[in-house]
Amino acid sequence: MPYYFFRNKLHLALLSALGAASWSVYFEIPVNGWTVLSVFLLTFSIYQDNRLTDDNEDSTNDPEGLKNALSHERLITYVTFYLLSALSLLIALPFGQPALWTTALVILIGFLYNHKCFPAFIARNLHGARRLKDIYIVKNLTPPIDWATALVFLPLFFEGKALSTKAWISWSYVFVCAFFVEVMWDMRDHRGDRLSGIRTIANTLSFAQTKRLLILASLISGLLLLYFTIAENLPPSTYFLLANNVAVIIIASLYNENKVEFMRRISDMTILLAALLFLSFGLIAFYCN
């Protein structure tokens, strides 16, 4: 059962939906069930689609998972991705243009990340890249943009709220947290990515250098979070999120390039930990307010 849960990315979908609910509480707006459902569907559909489009690297990184995905190719393509994406747009439609177009943007970014759809003349100017995942650095920045936008902006747009300084600071922090998760996943999958010709931070830097980058970036983001809290741009409950920075430092320190399965288990728990922290953050903000 746990393997099925993780393999089908249900943990990402459920915990992203939980994160959207938490940020709604933080922004003192109603927890909109349609927002939570939309974020669940968007995360589930994009990451299910990703299981099919990472065939080259997953033949090394996760051959059993790839085999399972290919056996359900039609279901994943036409139902899980296309149908659920269309359903997400229909859900967003009654909530106004910002909600609709932001939902569409999340879907588009996910599609361009997964699928080799860039025409030849664009690919030539991108050193042969046919999708966002093939572009160095952009590969590690694209999923965090989707996550942060869905978790932080969609709850506000579904309630007809404008983006404030507080919202942008929160978006930036979620982006950084998601970036940490992406890099740690790439550390886990560095061998398959390298063999497939995909350049990532984790396989262009040494393993030790990547760990130091994560730890340093986590320290810097934690200090910035501390500054905005002391400056009262964010409420006192924000201090709790510093635990996420501590968790990143601990998890990155535990990573060992010679223990791939161990890293896979830890990386599965990373998003779980982050989402639980977001939930606790939201609850603390609720009681503080």
Side-chain angles (χ1 to χ4, degrees), residues 7-288:
R7 181 189 65 197
N8 288 285
K9 313 302 181 184
L10 284 168
H11 65 304
L12 296 180
L14 286 171
L15 295 169
S16 294
L18 195 63
S22 301
W23 287 103
S24 298
V25 174
Y26 175 68
F27 289 120
E28 300 180 72
I29 59 176
V31 177
N32 188 321
W34 291 113
T35 309
V36 173
L37 176 60
S38 181
V39 171
F40 173 87
L41 294 176
L42 288 170
T43 308
F44 183 65
S45 63
I46 290 171
Y47 276 94
Q48 279 286 306
D49 187 42
N50 181 254
R51 295 176 63 206
L52 289 174
T53 57
D54 281 354
D55 51 341
N56 287 333
E57 51 270 39
D58 279 351
S59 62
T60 300
N61 294 330
D62 187 18
E64 187 62 31
L66 176 61
K67 180 180 177 182
N68 177 271
L70 291 175
S71 68
H72 298 91
E73 184 173 3
R74 287 182 177 273
L75 176 65
I76 291 173
T77 301
Y78 296 105
V79 177
T80 309
F81 183 65
Y82 289 120
L83 183 60
L84 293 188
S85 294
L87 182 58
S88 298
L89 291 171
L90 285 175
I91 291 172
L93 185 60
F95 293 95
Q97 293 295 313
L100 177 64
W101 289 112
T102 303
T103 299
L105 178 64
V106 170
I107 295 169
L108 178 63
I109 290 174
F111 182 82
L112 294 177
Y113 178 84
N114 285 327
H115 292 272
K116 297 180 178 180
C117 56
F118 294 169
F121 74 92
I122 292 179
R124 282 195 298 270
N125 292 310
L126 294 174
H127 304 288
R130 298 298 304 273
R131 55 180 176 170
L132 292 176
K133 186 173 182 176
D134 296 332
I135 305 173
Y136 186 51
I137 302 297
V138 172
K139 190 267 184 204
N140 293 111
L141 299 179
T142 305
I145 290 173
D146 253 11
W147 265 354
T149 301
L151 267 63
V152 178
F153 287 172
L154 280 183
L156 290 167
F157 289 149
F158 268 65
E159 288 299 311
K161 304 295 183 182
L163 298 182
S164 62
T165 300
K166 181 179 175 181
W168 279 106
I169 294 172
S170 300
W171 184 94
S172 300
Y173 186 75
V174 176
F175 171 85
V176 169
C177 291
F179 174 77
F180 293 153
V181 173
E182 283 295 317
V183 174
M184 284 192 277
W185 281 347
D186 284 345
M187 290 173 74
R188 175 198 68 188
D189 294 337
H190 71 284
R191 183 169 176 270
D193 288 343
R194 186 173 60 250
L195 291 174
S196 300
I198 297 174
R199 298 176 71 231
T200 67
I201 292 171
N203 64 27
T204 53
L205 298 179
S206 70
F207 208 83
Q209 288 173 328
T210 307
K211 290 173 69 169
R212 285 196 291 270
L213 173 65
L214 278 174
I215 292 170
L216 179 62
S218 188
L219 285 171
I220 292 172
S221 68
L223 289 172
L224 287 172
L225 188 72
L226 190 63
Y227 167 77
F228 284 120
T229 308
I230 293 172
E232 299 184 349
N233 294 112
L234 299 174
S237 56
T238 307
Y239 285 119
F240 182 79
L241 269 187
L242 291 171
N244 195 40
N245 297 79
V246 174
V248 169
I249 292 171
I250 293 173
I251 292 169
S253 300
L254 289 173
Y255 263 26
N256 186 323
E257 61 183 317
N258 298 316
K259 297 180 179 179
V260 177
E261 287 305 315
F262 175 68
M263 288 194 293
R264 184 169 293 278
R265 286 195 296 271
I266 292 178
S267 63
D268 282 337
M269 296 305 295
T270 302
I271 185 61
L272 174 61
L273 174 62
L276 289 175
L277 283 167
F278 292 151
L279 174 63
S280 300
F281 179 41
L283 291 174
I284 288 173
F286 174 76
Y287 287 115
C288 285

